[in-house]
Amino acid sequence: MRFSRAYIPTTKESPKDAQLPSHIYLSRAGFVAQVASGLYNFLPLGKRVLRKIENIINEEMSACGALEVDLSFVTPAELWQESGRIEKFGKELLRFRDRKDNLFVLGPTHEEMMVSIVRNRVTSYKQLPLNVYQVKTKFRDEARPRFGLMRAREFVMKDGYSFHSSTEDLDREFDAMEAAYKKILERLGLNFRIVEADSGAIGGTGSKELMVLAQSGEDTLAVCDTCEYGANVEAARRAPRSVFPEAPSADFSRFKTPNVKSIDDLSNFFHVDPYYTLKAVVMRAVYTEGSEPVCFFIRGCDELQEVKARNSVGAIDLVDISESELSEIGLIPGFIGPLDQDKIRFVMDKDTLNATSMICGANEMDYHFVGVDLSVMKDAVFADLVTVQAGDGCPHCGGKMEHTKGIEVGHIFKLGTVYSAPLKAEFLDENGRAQPFIMGTYGMGVSRLVAAVIEQHHDERGCIWTHATAPYLVNVMVSNIKEESHLAYAEELYNTLLSRGIETILDDRKERFGFKMSDAELIGFPFTIIIGKELENGQVQIMIRESREILTVDAENVLDKIEELRR
Ligand code: ATP
Ligand code: MG
């Protein structure tokens, strides 16, 4: 490509609301242009990067025997009614009616549609397994579209779905997909971690997320400093405690604690470690139909993990509750406890099971119970409700857990029969019995990956593309195009690079050197070959974008040098 013929509208202006480097640089360097909130046009450079990521995905998918399809973006709402997801997806699902008044949605994901293409077509276990995928536009009317391509409303996803006749076969395919996803991210040149993820209402352990490690990531990960274990904090587990703070000694009694409401107050008042106090967090659990207040009891030293809490009551959301709502229920903020509690549904953290020497609210103004033995609560509901904190023990190796930030670029999930059963997608097993397909789903955020590369690879001058994602690997820049011999040499070098299969752009614009250099840095080509005055001594320079190091090389060796650098 010749720069003079390209369409790369670079600018010094950042988008108004842009905070993240990827949002700023992808706009400023002319990769994408915003159309409306959460909607982006891909300009030629952006399209090239997107295509490159797609190509790598396609190669790795076909190496695994997955089959590419392309499903209609507009999907009939009936399918979403059949699966029961139409309510669950809520306002993210964009619905509309056609001229005949039929209701449709813009596909935010395609489980239902994929099931519908195999339903009644794949009828025997002999036709299984099957893994079908597409790279496709998705639409989710996100409540807060932000961060450019990172959380858009219209975005590109690779979504794959596998169909099996046994859970063993699903397990095998899931592992193969995990390996393929790992390979894709390695080829893209990204530093990432595969972590255990929340499985939502479905439960089980078959949910993993691929996280590109970056400060700006929206997800918090708990990772072990010693072994491979890592999990989204929404799903992270920890080893049981091995050292315990000194326990307060008190017989069970009701104790006057005037105005002692917070965990801090309580631990100061009694001079006990918050470990021995019980924290009550009341929230309103929202279901597809209706809502109810729920109280979660955890140790005072712990923090409630809202996704775990939500799952423990099967809600689709948890929202804050006001003090006036609390008093309507008859609860006294600061003094809520589980003993004789019949005013509110409650769930207790599993670390409070059979806990002794505890202090908890007495459900009476200005009173707490001390010396509480929670083994009396054996009929209560217990669940894992708390956030794994830095310093907690790893559940696998006993190493220390620490927190880091990640960008979710992929999610693989063992679905089982959650879609096939309600959608009645069945096959005949070896004994001629009808069974719902056992399914897996494998998503990857293709357009989000474009941004993730930049979140991980940029500096204050702009983008730094990895070799596999760069729109062009090499930029051949002529300092002064009026020098005819320089231009002629550059043209020849450009053609040779192209003939060697190296993606190259020739910056033949009639612009100042400084201007072209700052564009090269903003756009982030891995290598810029600068052809200037040194050519008279038979030399050119190579600027390595990542380090900004400038190498001076003999013109006759420049091709070898580029070959060496790209390896
Ligand atoms: P998130 O937690 O970030 O909202 P999700 O869990 O809703 O994502 P999935 O349904 O698992 O996302 O979709 C698969 C992949 O699609 C995600 O891993 C992510 O990379 C990408 N993705 C999801 N939502 C968006 C979005 N709004 N913009 C860009 N990419 C997205
Ligand atoms: Mg996800």
Side-chain angles (χ1 to χ4, degrees), residues 140 197-198 207-209 232 234 408 410-413 448:
R140 293 183 185 177
D198 167 43
S207 173
K208 289 189 178 176
E209 285 167 340
N232 195 312
E234 295 173 351
E408 180 194 324
H411 192 174
I412 58 177
F413 205 121
R448 183 180 283 183

Side-chain angles (χ1 to χ4, degrees), residues 374-427:
L374 287 175
S375 63
V376 298
M377 302 297 308
K378 59 181 178 309
D379 295 330
V381 176
F382 288 85
D384 178 7
L385 296 177
V386 305
T387 306
V388 169
Q389 291 169 7
D392 283 347
C394 168
H396 289 289
C397 76
K400 287 247 174 305
M401 299 301 292
E402 47 193 38
H403 283 172
T404 178
K405 290 284 182 187
I407 301 168
E408 180 194 324
V409 296
H411 192 174
I412 58 177
F413 205 121
K414 291 180 191 172
L415 288 173
T417 59
V418 281
Y419 293 100
S420 51
L423 291 164
K424 300 201 176 50
E426 298 177 336
F427 65 96

Side-chain angles (χ1 to χ4, degrees), residues 223-237:
V223 297
C224 176
D225 67 358
T226 312
C227 76
E228 284 279 283
Y229 176 69
N232 195 312
V233 280
E234 295 173 351
R237 294 168 289 119

Side-chain angles (χ1 to χ4, degrees), residues 182 185-186 190-194 210-213 456:
K182 191 167 171 217
L185 297 185
E186 277 165 3
L190 292 166
N191 180 14
F192 65 95
R193 190 126 182 178
I194 302 179
L210 288 99
M211 293 285 184
V212 168
L213 302 179
Q456 204 173 68

Side-chain angles (χ1 to χ4, degrees), residues 48 61 75 122 137 144 150 197 250 278 355 357 361 387 400 433 438 446 457 475 482 548 551:
R48 281 183 76 89
M61 284 301 114
T75 68
V122 176
T137 298
R144 288 176 60 217
M150 209 68 102
L278 199 64
S357 308
T387 306
K400 287 247 174 305
R433 270 197 309 257
I438 296 166
V446 186
H457 302 270
N475 170 32
K482 287 191 201 125
R548 299 192 59 243
L551 311 176

Side-chain angles (χ1 to χ4, degrees), residues 440-502:
T441 173
Y442 317 96
M444 191 166 247
V446 186
S447 51
R448 183 180 283 183
L449 270 166
V450 176
V453 174
I454 298 310
E455 287 308 320
Q456 204 173 68
H457 302 270
H458 67 269
D459 61 14
E460 69 293 345
R461 289 161 194 270
C463 306
I464 304 176
W465 293 100
T466 63
H467 295 189
T469 56
Y472 296 94
L473 186 76
V474 177
N475 170 32
V476 174
M477 193 171 93
V478 190
S479 298
N480 179 0
I481 60 157
K482 287 191 201 125
E483 296 284 351
E484 275 173 26
S485 62
H486 295 187
L487 189 58
Y489 170 82
E491 294 266 359
E492 196 188 318
L493 180 60
Y494 167 66
N495 285 318
T496 318
L497 284 161
L498 290 184
S499 69
R500 293 202 181 187
I502 296 175

Side-chain angles (χ1 to χ4, degrees), residues 73 106-110 134-140 153-159 161:
F73 180 33
L106 284 185
T109 173
H110 272 84
Q134 61 179 346
V135 176
K136 185 84 182 173
T137 298
K138 298 281 183 267
F139 191 91
R140 293 183 185 177
R153 291 195 295 166
E154 187 175 304
F155 58 97
V156 182
M157 199 207 287
K158 174 265 165 181
D159 51 326
Y161 308 84

